[in-house]
Amino acid sequence: MIKNVNPNIEMIVSFDIQMTASIEYADLALPANSWLEFEDLEVTASCSNPFLQAWKGGIQPVFDSKDDLAILAGIGRALGRVTGDDRFEKAFKFEHEGRRDIYLQRLLDSSTTTSGYRVEDLMAGKYGPPGGALMNFRTYPRIPFYEQIHDNEPFHTDTGRLHAYTDVPEAIEYGENFIVHREGPEATPYLPNVIVSSNPFVRPEDYGLPADAEHWDERTVRNIKMPWKRVKTTKNFLWEKGLQFYCLTPKTRHRVHSGWSNVDWHMLYDSNFGDPYRLDKRAPSVGEHQLHVNPQAARDLGINDGDYVYVDANPADRPYLGAKPDEFFYRVARCMLRVKYNHAYPYNIVMMKHAPFIATEKSVRAHESRPDGRALSENTGYQANLRYGSQQSITRNWHMPMHQTDTLFHKSKVFMKFIFGGEADNHALNTVPKETLVRVTKAEDGGMGGQGMWQPATTGYTPDNENDFMRSYLAGEITRVRKA
Amino acid sequence: MPKVGNWQLGREMAYPYEARFPERQFAFVFNINRCIACQSCTMACKSTWTFSKGQEHMWWANVETKPYGGYPQSWDVKILRQLQEADPDGQIWQGADLDQRFGPYGEFKGKTIFEAAETHFDPESSRVLGYLPTDEEWNSPNIYEDNPLGKPGVRDRLDPKGVELPVHDTWFFYLARICNHCSYPGCLAACPRKAIYKRPEDGIVLIDQQECRGYRKCVEACPYKKSLYRGNTRVSEKCIACYPRVEGTDPESGGVPMVTRCMAACIGQIRLQGLARLAEDGTWAEDRQNPLYYLVHVAKVALPLYPQLGTQPNGYYIPPRWVPHAYLEQMFGPGVGQAVERYKHPDRELLCVLQLFRRDNRIIFRYEIEEGPLIYEGEYRGRPVTLYNDTVIAFGKDGSELFRTTVEEPLYVRSNAHANSI
């Protein structure tokens, strides 16, 4: 995006409540109010908890920021003036008139879980604490398929029934007319994206793409079917090239997506490397991102607990298309972080938590030129979580063919209606955790300033570096119980 | 040193002061089978009490991953090591579990931190065995989060039996901690200025900020390392058990005793905090319908944290059922086997009391159970189980009802104007 897409976009406008990399790379940044500063009503709910919350800030905006909707309405009004088309302004009529509650009431009226609620009652605390209410699902607790089983509601498929077979032409063509397993297009030791099936009625069109085709698009659309006993004998060319770690990027329980990733308390708590006083000036801030690695796998690569490593995926398309190792942006984009020994991960699996704040060109320049070494961008104040690189250095999107059809039937994401075709968030890329295949190589020693071992790993009390006493402690041999 | 009775150890022990017992004692039970280490407690405390300059390293409440995590780093490994060096191979529990409030876990034959100091240190210079963590050890408060004790990795292989029950080969658990507001505090014992005191009304242990001169003897002596030095004020600080809330003087409380911020913020509902009534000898007075009394002295599912250290801590834990018992006994004493067994197969009353955890911001002083219908008969963890939908009712200090809840989560069915499939 940053290297190959953004430069071709005429103008990028972004708004947010904190300094993110999206803001740093925007041409125009518009500051939004935080939830505490909201000047009119705001509402939120989630797909996984039963509560609706509406509120209206509390404190005066600290700086010259506005509510998101006020920003959008302002953009609409300005575009109306530029274009002479007053629909831009009219689209936000009630916001301009200070009647945001009308929008909120419409939202409540048109949502199956909130219809019947009145905004004024909600805010007056008629349904719970002021601003709070239960989301009225059919049942509480929410029982999946309740109305399909108890009423005449059809299942949300093209036939209205649950079925294990589909005769959608594309599904037949792609070999997914039955429920089949496809190996990942990338993170597999076997042939990428191979359809694992011995079902004679699965007869995909392979388009003549050879099994050794390496391009990401070829791997994505190729439909090669094999029974498991043949799949077992196949190889992933990436695995053969030495990329033998599956890298998982799950969400962390300490943030919301990337939100609050660079808050001090979060950074102190999110890794093995929290230090409010930043004794090691290499750290991007008071903490830094980490890669969980099985200790034996790390040792076999000469990597100690706490060392810095590079994590590289398929060089054909990552860290970015057309990457040249001698250019500055390659240093910015190549993922580098600290290793944490963790026996929870099998030998071939490494884990890096999802969506840290990326290193940007400005944060890297700051990290390399500031006396204190912080990855804190000059003139924007953007704080990166990594010295170099990001999750995006090693992951990419995989648009699977069945998700790209115009015929895929499903319920719309945010509305009670049925639609055909893929839909953002359901089928298209966002920052969801993605698995990938990587190589891990040592970059720097973990010890203070890059000398020797990271200090805690020398104490004898840490994983895979235990002394005799620690082994006794782990076995529970220090204080013992003798029953009378 | 004078002798004091330590009921958790089932014997008398040396302590620098004569015993004095509060009327009630701040106490809590954490069911760490339920803890997910979200750190909501940690952040609730941090944002209430330790957000200022000089407190950057300070976390009065924390959650650490055992066995490798610790704040400060390796605090429990280090104090156990000091005790073992003072009393090689003598750190042993022996004797029968007695069905009484004094010595319910048998008798601890080894040395406490006070007794080890007598033989190991010059008594005038130090009254408590302990150590002063280095500045660096207060860093990385969540070090080795989610790290299990595990087996060596083998290339291209998965561990075939990593998750077998009843006890895992590869295991970790989360240990949520605050100050234990001990009955015989190490910090109080060590303070050369008597700046640390235990409140007679609720047993909360506080450091008088006017009297403290920052000698850090309390930091050295507290085996749980819950006394912390602040560089810019040059005095030490510790968890204050949110005493305005416990007193009912917090503006939010309306005069009613409330649980602390860390308890109130617990989304995993692992926490139950209250005020235990004490007998004249410092044991817990019989208070059958107090949920804490029930969990600690009747069901005996909740056990003190490192009781062998001798401070008679007032934080109790329902031990995690998937962890090898030798490790748990090292941490919680001889009651582990029984506690885990009862927690795995809870009886009718225990199942009710477990529903009381983190349901209200007000302190529960008493509970009652109204029996409900049979709702399930079957097998659970290899044994027959019978479930009843009983209602448990919680009462506050003045005897008024705080809330009631049932064993089974109630089911509500709304009209078909609403949908589940959206």
Side-chain angles (χ1 to χ4, degrees), chain A residues 210 212 292 399:
Chain A
D212 60 357
H292 296 241
H399 260 121

Side-chain angles (χ1 to χ4, degrees), chain A residues 41 80 140 161-163 193 214 218 236 246 290 294-295 298-299 315 323 382 421 427 445-446 451-452 470 476:
Chain A
L41 291 170
Y140 177 87
R161 292 173 299 193
L162 287 182
H163 44 75
N193 210 9
E214 295 185 0
E218 292 172 314
N236 181 349
Y246 305 96
Q290 63 189 7
N294 179 280
R299 284 189 191 286
Y382 171 72
H427 309 110
D445 273 348
Q451 302 295 314
M470 187 65 183

Side-chain angles (χ1 to χ4, degrees), chain A residues 148-176:
Chain A
Q148 280 81 8
I149 292 161
H150 295 268
D151 306 333
N152 290 325
E153 175 85 3
F155 283 91
H156 297 172
T157 65
D158 48 357
T159 61
R161 292 173 299 193
L162 287 182
H163 44 75
Y165 177 77
T166 175
D167 57 5
V168 174
E170 292 94 330
I172 295 171
E173 181 179 333
Y174 307 157
E176 298 192 31

Side-chain angles (χ1 to χ4, degrees), chain A residues 100-283:
Chain A
R100 199 181 292 172
D101 57 304
I102 292 174
Y103 294 129
L104 183 51
Q105 186 61 55
R106 287 177 179 178
L107 189 65
L108 297 180
D109 292 345
S110 59
S111 301
T112 170
T113 51
T114 56
S115 68
Y117 285 154
R118 303 292 311 163
V119 171
E120 57 270 26
D121 292 339
L122 176 67
M123 300 317 293
K126 190 175 163 192
Y127 313 124
L134 278 176
M135 298 287 280
N136 289 324
F137 288 98
R138 183 72 195 277
T139 65
Y140 177 87
R142 193 173 166 191
I143 299 168
F145 305 120
Y146 186 91
E147 51 268 33
Q148 280 81 8
I149 292 161
H150 295 268
D151 306 333
N152 290 325
E153 175 85 3
F155 283 91
H156 297 172
T157 65
D158 48 357
T159 61
R161 292 173 299 193
L162 287 182
H163 44 75
Y165 177 77
T166 175
D167 57 5
V168 174
E170 292 94 330
I172 295 171
E173 181 179 333
Y174 307 157
E176 298 192 31
N177 45 332
F178 282 87
I179 296 169
V180 293
H181 170 69
R182 276 183 187 263
E183 281 293 308
E186 171 144 309
T188 171
Y190 310 115
L191 181 66
N193 210 9
V194 62
I195 299 165
V196 186
S197 175
S198 52
N199 185 336
F201 300 106
V202 173
R203 298 172 203 154
E205 174 79 49
D206 68 8
Y207 309 126
L209 294 169
D212 60 357
E214 295 185 0
H215 193 277
W216 44 95
D217 286 342
E218 292 172 314
R219 276 187 276 151
T220 306
V221 303
R222 185 178 57 204
N223 304 311
I224 294 181
K225 173 202 160 198
M226 288 182 195
W228 170 236
K229 66 176 183 230
R230 271 189 64 211
V231 170
K232 276 195 292 191
T233 67
T234 60
K235 299 260 192 283
N236 181 349
F237 71 98
L238 290 169
W239 194 273
E240 297 292 288
K241 286 181 178 175
L243 281 73
Q244 297 190 354
F245 289 107
Y246 305 96
C247 184
L248 312 181
T249 56
K251 290 184 178 174
T252 153
R253 60 187 177 288
H254 301 308
R255 318 181 236 130
V256 183
H257 297 251
S258 63
W260 326 124
S261 192
N262 62 358
V263 170
D264 285 359
W265 294 349
H266 169 262
M267 279 191 283
L268 291 172
Y269 241 87
D270 196 45
S271 79
N272 269 8
F273 310 100
D275 175 5
Y277 308 111
R278 290 187 70 253
L279 297 177
D280 193 334
K281 298 302 177 211
R282 292 178 298 172

Side-chain angles (χ1 to χ4, degrees), chain A residues 112 115 134-143 146-148 156 239 244 253-254 265 268-269 272-277 279 294 296 305 340-344 346-348 411 416 454 456 461-463 466-467 469-470 472-484, chain B residues 36-37 39 42 46-47 51 56-57 59 62 67-68 74 76-78 81 84 89 91-97 139-151 153-156 158 174 308 326-327 330 334 409-422:
Chain A
T112 170
S115 68
L134 278 176
M135 298 287 280
N136 289 324
F137 288 98
R138 183 72 195 277
T139 65
Y140 177 87
R142 193 173 166 191
I143 299 168
Y146 186 91
E147 51 268 33
Q148 280 81 8
H156 297 172
W239 194 273
Q244 297 190 354
R253 60 187 177 288
H254 301 308
W265 294 349
L268 291 172
Y269 241 87
N272 269 8
F273 310 100
D275 175 5
Y277 308 111
L279 297 177
N294 179 280
Q296 189 58 50
D305 198 2
K340 163 177 156 166
Y341 275 15
N342 191 343
H343 282 104
Y347 189 100
N348 295 85
K411 199 199 118 318
M416 288 303 282
W454 176 59
Y461 300 140
T462 63
E466 298 92 343
N467 58 28
F469 184 83
M470 187 65 183
S472 294
Y473 164 85
L474 294 169
E477 294 168 353
I478 307 304
T479 311
R480 284 161 297 138
V481 174
R482 261 187 222 144
K483 291 284 176 192
Chain B
I36 56 169
Q39 310 287 358
T42 308
K46 184 79 178 161
S47 57
F51 52 80
E56 294 86 356
H57 64 299
W59 306 84
N62 78 294
Y68 290 104
S74 308
D76 58 333
V77 188
K78 291 189 171 189
R81 188 169 192 168
Q84 202 202 34
D89 299 320
Q91 298 297 92
I92 286 165
W93 290 89
Q94 204 161 21
D97 313 340
N139 278 342
S140 308
N142 201 12
I143 194 166
Y144 293 113
E145 178 189 51
D146 296 356
N147 265 78
L149 173 63
K151 289 173 258 181
V154 181
R155 187 190 292 266
D156 301 334
L158 299 177
Y174 301 121
Q308 68 268 42
Y327 183 87
Q330 179 176 273
E409 189 167 17
L411 171 70
Y412 298 97
V413 180
R414 301 188 177 100
S415 80
N416 63 6
H418 304 289
N420 274 358
S421 305
I422 60 170

Side-chain angles (χ1 to χ4, degrees), chain B residues 307-342:
Chain B
Q308 68 268 42
L309 302 175
T311 63
Q312 206 172 287
N314 291 299
Y316 295 83
Y317 293 81
I318 303 180
R321 61 185 168 81
W322 60 88
V323 175
H325 283 198
Y327 183 87
L328 292 177
E329 285 174 340
Q330 179 176 273
M331 182 171 275
F332 300 114
V336 165
Q338 180 178 266
V340 169
E341 193 58 21
R342 289 205 176 146

Side-chain angles (χ1 to χ4, degrees), chain B residues 34-56:
Chain B
R34 283 182 181 173
C35 182
I36 56 169
C38 64
Q39 310 287 358
S40 298
C41 51
T42 308
M43 296 302 165
C45 177
K46 184 79 178 161
S47 57
T48 308
W49 300 115
T50 64
F51 52 80
S52 299
K53 194 170 173 62
Q55 295 176 308
E56 294 86 356

